[in-house]
Amino acid sequence: QGDCVPSNRNFVALIRKQFPKTLSLGIVGNGPLAELATLREYGQYVKPERVLWFYFEGNDLIDLIRERKNPLLMRYASDSDFTQHLLMRQRAIDSALTEHIQEKYQAFLRERAGETVSIPRKIMEQIRFTMKLSRIRWYVRTATSREGQIPDRAARELSFELFEEILRMSRDLAHVGGGTFYFVYLPAGSRYADRRWSGSGIDIAARNARGKVLDIVSRLGIPVIDMLPVFDAHPDPLSLFPFRIPSHYTEEGNKLVADSILSYLTSAIFPISKSPL
């Protein structure tokens, strides 16, 4: 999936042009724990030569806060043999998804018909956000903070030990199939926008955790394809985000990611010989 650009122009599609057998198992909302589960459920049948683990500094560690509260997902991190054999249960999965969509649609029809009266979730979130004075409290917290610091309270919510275990298990899954595991670091647009787009304390903590994250990756011996220096070298990094708003990447941003990855993989697969032919 790739929001903000046509599906044939996101970086996965661009990588697939050079490596036609590229399989994307990413989907919106997946954090590190869901990625581990996906790799275990499907990767063992594919046995890929290369696994690209895309890490987005804007929300992956934040997603893990939510995911670790799910007992089923946590079983993937606590038991290296745990699997639901999802590849063999596609009919049941399709049935469950169809039933879920029908329930949601019927609830929507009842609400529209006035049978139920409820305030849309987005409106309720905005009301709570306003009542808590979240934006003002954020400015107070960040006014005296320096770039590179992780707000203490927010940092305590980030699960670095769990993140390291997830990466270790994912790396090992790739190695069992004879493949190479790569860690791709994707920068967030909030790095290049003004303060109003910097996010909450937990957003800042996740973004400023770059050093810890890369230390973990290095400790595990995982090759890194780091896109931050590539974005930093661009004359106008904010232009790589739609309408200069820090969200997903533009077509140019996606192409920059794809070109960098293809250049790295090509040099890794076909290294330039230092000896005469």
Side-chain angles (χ1 to χ4, degrees):
Q1 291 185 322
D3 289 350
C4 302
V5 297
S7 59
N8 65 337
R9 296 179 187 175
N10 62 45
F11 58 73
V12 175
L14 297 177
I15 292 172
R16 187 178 287 119
K17 285 185 178 180
Q18 184 159 333
F19 294 96
K21 292 185 179 181
T22 297
L23 172 65
S24 174
L25 296 179
I27 194 169
V28 62
N30 276 9
L33 198 48
E35 293 176 62
L36 167 62
T38 303
L39 189 58
R40 185 174 301 158
E41 292 290 347
Y42 300 102
Q44 61 177 315
Y45 299 100
V46 180
K47 292 182 173 56
E49 294 180 19
R50 288 166 291 277
V51 175
L52 298 174
W53 178 291
F54 288 90
Y55 171 86
F56 180 59
E57 67 176 1
N59 59 22
D60 272 20
L61 286 177
I62 299 173
D63 288 339
L64 188 55
I65 296 173
R66 165 181 51 82
E67 291 179 336
R68 73 188 184 199
K69 298 176 183 177
N70 187 310
L72 180 60
L73 281 179
M74 281 299 294
R75 290 190 65 183
Y76 286 95
S78 61
D79 182 355
S80 60
D81 295 322
F82 175 71
T83 177
Q84 299 180 76
H85 305 287
L86 296 183
L87 192 64
M88 312 302 177
R89 301 170 62 188
Q90 193 59 54
R91 184 172 297 180
I93 293 171
D94 291 345
S95 177
L97 287 174
T98 300
E99 182 180 344
H100 176 71
I101 292 171
Q102 290 174 345
E103 289 176 356
K104 291 293 183 181
Y105 181 61
Q106 291 302 319
F108 164 75
L109 292 179
R110 288 194 298 272
E111 183 173 330
R112 191 174 65 173
E115 296 179 13
T116 59
V117 179
S118 63
I119 301 177
R121 181 170 60 88
K122 285 292 183 183
I123 296 178
M124 285 302 300
E125 288 177 355
Q126 187 60 45
I127 291 173
R128 284 194 292 268
F129 183 84
T130 303
M131 291 179 66
K132 290 168 61 179
L133 302 177
S134 300
R135 181 60 63 184
I136 294 176
R137 292 190 295 117
W138 173 80
Y139 274 118
V140 171
R141 284 199 307 270
T142 59
T144 58
S145 65
R146 297 191 301 274
E147 184 66 22
Q149 287 185 330
I150 302 177
D152 291 339
R153 184 175 179 182
R156 286 195 293 270
E157 298 184 50
L158 302 179
S159 303
F160 292 106
E161 290 184 4
L162 176 58
F163 180 71
E164 181 168 357
E165 181 63 12
I166 289 170
L167 272 186
R168 184 190 65 77
M169 298 178 86
S170 299
R171 177 205 63 187
D172 292 348
L173 280 170
H175 289 178
V176 166
T180 303
F181 187 85
Y182 298 91
F183 185 89
V184 184
Y185 192 101
L186 298 177
S190 54
R191 281 187 173 272
Y192 309 107
D194 58 42
R195 289 172 64 94
R196 63 182 172 142
W197 296 109
S198 294
S200 64
I202 192 66
D203 297 316
I204 297 172
R207 188 173 65 247
N208 291 346
R210 170 178 164 83
K212 282 194 173 185
V213 168
L214 292 182
D215 282 346
I216 290 171
V217 177
S218 175
R219 191 158 56 244
L220 294 172
I222 299 172
V224 178
I225 304 176
D226 191 357
M227 292 305 306
L228 181 59
V230 178
F231 273 56
D232 284 348
H234 192 277
D236 185 11
L238 198 55
S239 68
L240 302 174
F241 300 85
F243 308 108
R244 305 183 68 81
I245 297 175
S247 57
H248 299 86
Y249 299 153
T250 60
E251 288 188 25
E252 183 185 358
N254 274 271
K255 187 175 186 304
L256 195 60
V257 172
D259 288 347
S260 298
I261 291 173
L262 289 172
S263 175
Y264 184 98
L265 292 180
T266 301
S267 63
I269 298 170
F270 307 109
I272 299 176
S273 175
K274 294 183 180 180
S275 59
L277 296 176

